[in-house]
Amino acid sequence: MKRFVIICILCILIFVIQYDIRHGALRHADFYNTACERDEIVQFVQTKIQAGDTIHSIFNSVSSEIEFPFIERLAHFYELNPHLQKQPLVAGDSVKVPIKTVSACKK
């Protein structure tokens, strides 16, 4: 009779642990969460305009760390270089080209 009770208790205990692992709190626990919050930062790189350069070719020559849509990048370009809004690009001029980077991990 003692063996039967011990076996029943063990079976119930195993069932409870198994159920908790599959459906309970342990399944939803995030023990190995290494993710962190990172912010996208718009910075700029100074570059010189070469003969025949266009804004598109400048953007292609200076790559961004993460995806930066052309329209958004163009808006930032004109914020950084307001003198170029109604003026053509002149070879030898220095311009600020916007790039997107990711900040360090915040915990």
Side-chain angles (χ1 to χ4, degrees):
M1 186 68 183
K2 272 186 170 179
R3 281 187 182 179
F4 179 73
V5 171
I6 292 173
I7 291 174
C8 286
I9 290 173
L10 283 175
C11 287
I12 291 171
L13 185 64
I14 290 171
F15 174 78
V16 168
I17 291 171
Q18 175 264 344
Y19 185 84
D20 190 46
I21 289 173
R22 288 194 182 168
H23 305 284
L26 290 180
R27 178 175 172 217
H28 302 292
D30 199 3
F31 295 113
Y32 305 106
N33 184 10
T34 57
C36 63
E37 291 184 31
R38 295 178 182 254
D39 293 328
E40 293 179 358
I41 301 170
V42 177
Q43 297 178 328
F44 68 88
V45 174
Q46 195 91 14
T47 188
K48 282 200 180 249
I49 299 173
Q50 304 296 320
D53 271 350
T54 63
I55 292 175
H56 198 269
S57 67
I58 293 170
F59 286 175
N60 285 339
S61 68
V62 179
S63 62
S64 189
E65 191 175 306
I66 54 177
E67 188 174 336
F68 202 170
F70 181 78
I71 299 298
E72 185 181 342
R73 197 172 190 188
L74 188 64
H76 284 286
F77 178 79
Y78 283 126
E79 284 176 17
L80 294 168
N81 306 289
H83 61 283
L84 293 176
Q85 286 186 0
K86 295 183 181 181
Q87 178 182 342
L89 299 174
V90 178
D93 279 356
S94 186
V95 293
K96 297 174 183 173
V97 181
I99 59 170
K100 258 190 190 177
T101 57
V102 180
S103 68
C105 187
K106 292 184 208 173
K107 290 257 177 180

